[in-house]
Amino acid sequence: MSPTDRTGDAERRMLGGAPGEQALGRGPAPGGEYSRHEYDHPAAGWGAARSVAEVLRRAGEPVEGVRALFVMNQENGGFDCPGCAWPDDPDGLHLDICENGVKHVTWELAEPKADAGFFGAHTVTELAGWTDYDLEAAGRLAEPLSYNPATDRYEPISWDDAFAMVDTELRALENPNQASFYTSGRLSNEATFLYQLWVREFGTNNLPDCSNMCHEASGRAMTTALGSGKGTVDLHDWRAADAIWVMGDNAASNAPRMLTWLAEADRRGAALVHINPLIEAASRRTIVPHEFADMATFHTTRTGTRNVQVRIGGDMALMRGVAKAVLEAGPGVLDEEFIERHTSGFDEYRALVAATPWADIVEGSGIDEPAIRALADSYVASERVIIAWCLGVTQHEHGVDTVGEIVNVLLLRGNIGREGAGPCPVRGHSNVQGNRTCGIDHRPAREFLDRLGEVCGIDPPRAHGLGTVPTIEAMHRGDVKVFVALGGNFALATPDQPYTYEALRNCELTVQVSTKLNRSHLVHGKRALILPCLGRTEKDRQAAGEQGITVEDAMSMVHISFGMKEPASRQLRSECAILAGLAKATLPDSNTPWQEYADDYDRIRDTMAEVLEGFDDFNTRARQPHGFRVHQPARERVFQTSSGRAEFSLAALPGDLDPGHGRFILTTIRSHDQFNTTVYSNDDRYRGLKGLRTVIFMNEDDMRARGIDEFDLIDVTSFSKDGSERAVHGYRAVSYEIPPGCTAGYMPELNVLCGIADFSTQSEQPVTKHLIVEINRHTTS
Ligand SMILES: Nc1nc2c(c(=O)[nH]1)N[C@H]1C(S)=C(S)[C@@H](COP(=O)(O)OP(=O)(O)OC[C@H]3O[C@@H](n4cnc5c(=O)[nH]c(N)nc54)[C@H](O)[C@@H]3O)O[C@H]1N2
Ligand SMILES: Nc1nc2c(c(=O)[nH]1)N[C@H]1C(S)=C(S)[C@@H](COP(=O)(O)OP(=O)(O)OC[C@H]3O[C@@H](n4cnc5c(=O)[nH]c(N)nc54)[C@H](O)[C@@H]3O)O[C@H]1N2
Ligand SMILES: [Mo]
């Protein structure tokens, strides 16, 4: 099957579906010029400053204007950056602004040009031929729209008629489980709470979210081991740690404000270990983005003291090796008191580690024994260790076991629940952690449902719902007929586009609540709605006056955020208002005070305070400077597991080391100039690449062995767990310092290579960091 059907040639060329032709990718149409250079400058610094100036110039925004918005954020509770989930400085010493945050805010400040006139001028079939960059560049969505199959256009619809259409389609279902409700991780806590309340009052737990593709593995592993799915450290701990390990995270691009904390740790002499198949920019030096004097003098600070170039998927074996060396070092290095008082399963774990041969560890990790022992020595030499990780660890078949092994290593020396130490999953979207806290979970805990039912006077469904991949499969089978998305770009962020596109098109109704036009509006059900909403930067006026919303960052700090800009269009509604409108229209007999909630978000927060653990006095505490920290028992060494102790994980090492037949493992990653499916340019500054996204980074020896030269056209075929194959054509090979057998390329382009069956049985996450591929030089061009 070709990657597209209705969208035809244009999207096929973007995706690499046309043999012999250069694939174009989802960014701006490439100008034909591309280049590669060694990037040896520090991260952040002047390159970042220049890039910001360029983004602002293109957006027509004065630099000072955007900076002023961020400064306001610092001083009087302005808006929370809608980019990543890295926390603000709790002491307000650093200006919490970064290059990619500015890009992100500017993206939202666009003019409302995607209005009725725009959609009158372009059919959906025509728009489907645009690049994803051009779709978003159309500007902010300006009014509610409904798809008219007779004209193949989106046409204006009133808010009330839109809500009524959703009611009609939901009413036509045989049961509530025939609808599924997706969340992307920007949704505020208040809107999240209303969303899950509506969905559960309607009668289903089908609440898939982007977390199902992101940190699901972290949540599951930590819940089992520690009784809570969240990290335990905060930025004060970052300031006190004497070793920080960063695993599978491209911090310089995806959590740039982390650089400040790494640089600060280096000045204290902390060990900064980067565990990554690629040597990423954050492992070198930075010009601390907030220290303008440093910018002027080009003063750089080190942000990495050791690189461990693990093979793709080798992190669990590496952690097992560290544990083995630590255990072999004798009893003196263990925190025996902690192990005795607070953990369970230590003896079994010690036996398991002893039974794991070094040969398996070395082969599994791709790191030799002396290097692993050196890493273990550095671990033992550090009193306070934080291990941070992101997608390089989670998007694997063995993601849950790997996070379990990271926790094991921490437990051995009591590196949890004390100052400067602990696990630290680096979350993605700005409020993805808050979404889970506030009830977006297709496998909700019984206690949460009990509380929700009691406080809100509803009878929530108890059966587990569908996560992201099972939702796609159910839509494909015709078992889910209505799909609602609160933000995100489901069609592109998910695996296997041809399959997922068919699934979405099977639906009776698809509803997208969005700020900007994207592919998910063009790959739609028989009926389709686009409901445009306010962004986080915009003023939200309701009956009770201007409203603020709250978010929870990656370190469990909850704070209030107020928009500062006039809304892009008068027809936009807030996400809370849209959800209240949907709920009122579809649940006419509901006793929930939907309108009161939408009028005054303090009312929502009052209810949340009763339902959610740790949210007492929510309205007051959210308004304190920097907000409040959601209580995290594991931080106090209270482990809410069945044994009441931290549980050592006892998993076997992955056996899927050799992809066989001269095949490679492919990991899919972000460039510096994108936010998930939003691509800002075709450049990837820190990796030294300009003008092209359709590339595969390869080890030089691997290229030579296959007769592939730099920038040669290549074809990539993937082999799915279910035996099916997929291919992209017209990619270009780029040599890179990456272990042999390992390759990397960009999401979301390469999602076409991930089959629908390629998800982890441990976490249900698509294994987008571990695809099995064959790479061949394109011979006929
Ligand atoms: N500017 C910007 N910021 C973002 C985002 C964005 O797209 N743009 N996305 C946000 C979101 S939703 C998320 S979840 C985060 C994502 O943040 P990251 O996890 O940094 O995202 P990726 O680009 O997928 O990078 C994965 C990193 O893991 C490495 N890696 C790949 N495979 C392996 C492996 O097997 N083992 C190890 N140890 N490392 C591996 C890659 O080389 C890369 O450095 O960032 C958030 N912040
Ligand atoms: N191959 C591969 N695939 C991946 C990943 C990978 O590493 N590799 N990473 C996965 C991860 S970690 C994630 S989190 C997912 C991301 O999946 P999603 O969260 O679904 O995707 P985004 O690209 O972040 O969504 C961008 C869209 O969100 C909408 N939007 C932006 N701001 C707002 C807002 O304030 N409100 C509303 N309602 N809408 C808004 C805009 O219309 C924009 O086009 O992708 C996953 N897919
Ligand atoms: Mo994510």
Side-chain angles (χ1 to χ4, degrees), residues 1-15 17 26 124-129 152 476 491 496-506 519 522-525 752:
M1 191 185 355
S2 79
T4 55
D5 42 359
R6 180 171 90 176
T7 49
D9 285 348
E11 199 182 354
R12 198 171 304 140
R13 274 211 70 191
M14 273 176 246
L15 298 179
R26 296 191 176 275
V124 168
T125 303
E126 183 202 335
L127 290 171
D152 186 30
H476 204 269
D496 208 345
Q497 271 60 44
Y499 185 93
T500 297
Y501 284 17
E502 278 176 9
L504 286 163
R505 286 179 176 143
N506 256 353
R519 187 72 47 186
L522 310 178
V523 181
H524 56 72
V752 286

Side-chain angles (χ1 to χ4, degrees), residues 44 201 470 639 657 679:
E201 199 171 328
F639 302 108
L657 294 180
V679 178

Side-chain angles (χ1 to χ4, degrees), residues 55-116:
V55 170
L56 296 177
R57 190 189 60 71
R58 260 188 280 144
E61 283 287 335
V63 180
E64 283 314 314
V66 170
R67 182 175 293 164
L69 287 174
F70 276 94
V71 172
M72 282 167 149
N73 180 22
Q74 304 291 307
E75 285 171 357
N76 66 358
F79 65 86
D80 179 76
C81 179
C84 75
W86 189 258
D88 292 342
D89 179 357
D91 303 321
L93 298 177
H94 303 298
L95 188 58
D96 281 302
I97 178 172
C98 79
E99 173 195 1
N100 280 346
V102 170
K103 279 189 216 159
H104 218 63
V105 168
T106 316
W107 175 90
E108 195 174 287
L109 298 179
E111 292 290 308
K113 297 213 183 90
D115 55 10

Side-chain angles (χ1 to χ4, degrees), residues 217-274:
S218 307
R220 292 202 190 180
M222 289 194 297
T223 302
T224 306
L226 305 172
S228 151
K230 298 178 188 180
T232 63
V233 303
D234 65 13
L235 284 178
H236 290 116
D237 295 311
W238 273 67
R239 194 170 274 154
D242 43 32
I244 298 170
W245 294 13
V246 181
M247 299 180 69
D249 183 24
N250 176 15
S253 296
N254 296 330
R257 288 173 295 147
M258 188 198 290
L259 295 176
T260 304
W261 298 89
L262 291 175
E264 193 264 341
D266 182 68
R267 288 175 191 159
R268 286 185 286 107
L272 304 174
V273 180
H274 294 266

